[in-house]
Amino acid sequence: MSTFNVPKREEVSENNQAIFDNLEKAVGFVPNLYATYAHSENALANYLALSNAKTSLNAKQKEVVNLVVSEVNSCIYCLSAHTAIGKMNGFTDTEILELRSGSASFDTKLDALANLAKNITENRGAADDTIIEKFFNAGWTKENLIDTIVLVGDKTISNYLHKTTKVAVDFPEAQPLEVVEA
């Protein structure tokens, strides 16, 4: 249970209130983790700028990385959020579970991406040469590699924020992978 509060709109700066208003319009609510960033005057805007920055990865590819990284980092908040977003991007429940494990037998290119994201996260950035070679052989580029690393960092930030603050999950909660696989 968290002792870290999720700030309400009236408890944050005017700049963060404006961001809350935009999130409310775009998403329908202000996710607890985003609200938690607003304890800082700048963190929410900075994080959203990073998270919404241009990338060579499309939305579905980004969800592959988000799911893998969140699983490796054991972040229930981000797993729950990205399970919902993954479904909105066309992944089935079975595919999402496989992606969380770091593979995608249903798509060779996404499999190489999932393998790379898992390897980078587990090895704190020191990806194995064979994994990188598989990534390139699957048709990915150096730009895609750099953008994947940036996305791993992006998701790790949110994973760490949740694991430190333990704010309530406000998405349908994802089941632990080992329970699902058993």
Side-chain angles (χ1 to χ4, degrees):
M1 189 71 181
S2 174
T3 56
F4 209 91
N5 74 303
V6 176
K8 295 181 181 8
R9 186 184 185 282
E10 62 273 8
E11 298 172 326
V12 301
S13 71
E14 284 186 33
N15 288 338
N16 283 326
Q17 286 179 7
I19 296 170
F20 276 30
D21 293 344
N22 289 335
L23 285 167
E24 187 78 41
K25 287 176 194 162
V27 183
F29 71 108
V30 178
N32 285 343
L33 196 61
Y34 283 176
T36 303
Y37 278 101
H39 279 291
S40 164
E41 173 62 30
N42 301 301
L44 180 57
N46 290 343
Y47 180 74
L48 290 173
L50 172 63
S51 192
N52 295 318
K54 289 183 181 179
T55 178
S56 62
L57 303 178
N58 67 33
K60 199 166 187 173
Q61 294 162 348
K62 286 174 65 173
E63 288 315 307
V64 169
V65 177
N66 290 334
L67 287 161
V68 171
V69 173
S70 296
E71 182 66 41
V72 171
N73 288 331
S74 302
C75 180
I76 189 61
Y77 189 98
C78 295
L79 282 170
S80 299
H82 290 289
T83 293
I85 297 167
K87 288 177 185 178
M88 292 182 340
N89 278 284
F91 287 119
T92 67
D93 289 332
T94 302
E95 290 169 342
I96 288 169
L97 292 172
E98 186 177 355
L99 289 168
R100 286 174 53 189
S101 75
S103 62
S105 63
F106 55 91
D107 184 301
T108 305
K109 194 166 183 180
L110 292 181
D111 186 58
L113 177 62
N115 289 178
L116 179 69
K118 182 176 183 179
N119 191 259
I120 288 170
T121 307
E122 288 178 337
N123 294 313
R124 299 180 186 211
D128 295 339
D129 289 340
T130 55
I131 300 290
I132 295 170
E133 184 177 336
K134 178 182 174 186
F135 181 78
F136 289 136
N137 287 340
W140 296 99
T141 66
K142 289 178 183 177
E143 177 184 22
N144 300 142
L145 174 67
I146 302 303
D147 287 346
T148 299
I149 293 166
V150 170
L151 187 53
V152 168
D154 164 347
K155 192 44 46 197
T156 299
I157 292 167
S158 281
N159 293 167
Y160 286 9
L161 182 65
H162 184 260
K163 289 183 73 78
T164 299
T165 64
K166 299 178 183 78
V167 296
V169 177
D170 49 357
F171 290 88
E173 196 161 318
Q175 294 300 307
L177 191 57
E178 56 275 359
V179 170
V180 176
E181 289 179 338

